[in-house]
Amino acid sequence: IRGLRASVVLPEHTRARIEAAWHELHQDVRLGGTWHGELAVNWAERILLLGSQASDDRGGGPLDERVQRALEIIAREPAAPHSVARLARTVGLSPSRFAHLFRAQTGLPVLETVIRTRMREAEQLLARTTEPVSAIGYRLGFATPQHFAGQFRRWYGISP
């Protein structure tokens, strides 16, 4: 769905399973037909169950509202110059308390989450637009095309 961003950080193995199920759902929808629609519904249910299971594994409860707010800020503005101190100030915590709470709730450090969000956005932009790589890098807050390309290569193993 265009413009939709997830605000929950899932373990990598769960995310991979959800992405695979999402791919299967899309294939069944594209193929059409009565049974393909039923199969797509089954894939959608699988995706929801995998997400629910990940939530239970994380402790079952919702994210702390301050962590949720920080995730929403990062997702809404991936190119902004996010820092632990700035995000902590925004949500009303000290930097050390915020960094500890964020990692405990999401399983990831704050700045890794920022980079991960930028890389996922870059992946989408590269796949769905004809924008030059350098423009996408600048758009996502990277100071130089080289820095963007290096980060992309680190995450995906290939150049953008």
Side-chain angles (χ1 to χ4, degrees):
I1 299 173
R2 188 178 190 102
L4 181 65
R5 286 187 173 46
S7 298
V8 176
V9 178
L10 297 172
E12 196 61 34
H13 67 281
T14 302
R15 187 179 72 76
R17 292 177 70 195
I18 288 173
E19 286 179 359
W22 187 250
H23 176 73
E24 294 292 333
L25 182 151
H26 277 263
Q27 280 188 310
D28 286 330
V29 168
R30 279 191 299 253
L31 291 173
T34 304
W35 293 110
H36 291 288
E38 294 295 322
L39 287 169
V41 169
N42 286 334
W43 285 115
E45 289 174 351
R46 181 177 177 84
I47 291 166
L48 292 172
L49 288 170
L50 285 167
S52 294
Q53 179 183 0
S55 176
D56 289 346
D57 292 347
R58 192 182 40 75
L63 289 173
D64 181 281
E65 66 183 43
R66 296 161 296 189
V67 171
Q68 181 67 36
R69 194 161 145 222
L71 286 167
E72 289 168 0
I73 291 167
I74 294 166
R76 189 174 52 247
E77 304 173 47
H82 299 296
S83 67
V84 171
R86 183 174 291 160
L87 288 166
R89 191 171 41 253
T90 302
V91 300
L93 291 171
S94 71
S96 62
R97 176 67 187 130
F98 172 66
H100 176 77
L101 180 63
F102 190 95
R103 187 177 193 135
Q105 293 261 303
T106 66
L108 295 170
V110 176
L111 296 180
E112 184 175 333
T113 301
V114 171
I115 295 295
R116 180 179 290 223
T117 302
R118 288 178 180 174
M119 290 295 102
R120 289 197 179 131
E121 182 73 13
E123 180 182 19
Q124 295 299 313
L125 290 170
L126 289 165
R128 297 190 171 139
T129 71
T130 58
E131 220 175 319
V133 171
S134 60
I136 290 172
Y138 289 128
R139 179 175 171 178
L140 291 175
F142 292 93
T144 66
Q146 294 79 12
H147 184 223
F148 169 62
Q151 284 293 320
F152 194 92
R153 192 174 300 106
R154 184 174 78 87
W155 279 89
Y156 294 106
I158 58 172
S159 66

